[in-house]
Amino acid sequence: NEGLKFNGDTAAANALDDYEQGLFTPRLEFASNGSATFNEASGQYRKIGNFVYWSALVGTTKGTASGDAKITGLPFTSSSNGSSRIYGSFYYQDGFNSITDQPWVYQGGGGQNYASIYMHNGSGGTVALTTSNFNTNQCTFRIGGWYVTD
């Protein structure tokens, strides 16, 4: 199978030879999960070539969890080639403390299937989102992003 080619291109290297879509189960995890419960977790992805586009809904009650937060369970491992990263943003959030008006971002390193969560600090940098930012009731958020696989 040579893949799908466009506009009369005959080069095998330019053919689209991988496309899939599906569901995955994301999780919000902390440095120490303690008694955290995960009430909602649904995700969907579309992989076109080596690009993965994904979105997810995650809900949690932090319980006695502590430390930095990250999203785990992404459907593929990011590329370990060069400076590959997992990027994205939040587009809905409810049930958080100490959140500034600055947008949230997340970033994962190469060769991973998780992404650490950060928020802009208002001074051009970022600070990790920790359990202190989550209230004791359920916190829910929707996120979306993309990354490159090998």
Side-chain angles (χ1 to χ4, degrees):
N1 184 352
E2 294 185 25
L4 183 59
K5 299 174 184 164
F6 298 93
N7 298 326
D9 191 341
T10 58
N14 296 336
L16 175 59
D17 58 1
D18 187 9
Y19 175 91
E20 66 178 273
Q21 57 189 19
L23 304 175
F24 71 99
T25 303
R27 285 184 46 104
L28 175 69
E29 294 189 10
F30 302 98
S32 171
N33 281 327
S35 65
T37 57
F38 304 96
N39 311 3
E40 296 180 72
S42 62
Q44 58 187 353
Y45 71 90
R46 183 163 289 143
K47 184 174 184 278
I48 304 170
N50 64 343
F51 284 87
V52 179
Y53 302 92
W54 62 280
S55 64
L57 168 67
V58 178
T60 188
T61 303
K62 75 175 180 179
T64 59
S66 62
D68 294 355
K70 65 183 177 182
I71 300 295
T72 64
L74 296 177
F76 300 93
T77 300
S78 65
S79 175
S80 56
N81 216 356
S83 61
S84 294
R85 297 286 186 259
I86 300 168
Y87 296 102
S89 63
F90 287 71
Y91 51 93
Y92 169 81
Q93 58 91 5
D94 182 44
F96 291 87
N97 299 322
S98 308
I99 300 296
T100 66
D101 290 334
Q102 301 297 319
W104 298 11
V105 297
Y106 54 88
Q107 178 178 8
Q112 301 177 167
N113 71 338
Y114 68 87
S116 300
I117 305 172
Y118 300 91
M119 59 185 167
H120 291 286
N121 65 8
S123 304
T126 58
V127 59
L129 196 71
T130 69
T131 51
S132 66
N133 300 114
F134 293 76
N135 69 32
T136 56
N137 298 320
Q138 180 166 323
C139 300
T140 304
F141 54 89
R142 292 183 184 274
I143 54 179
W146 66 274
Y147 59 100
V148 176
T149 65
D150 283 328

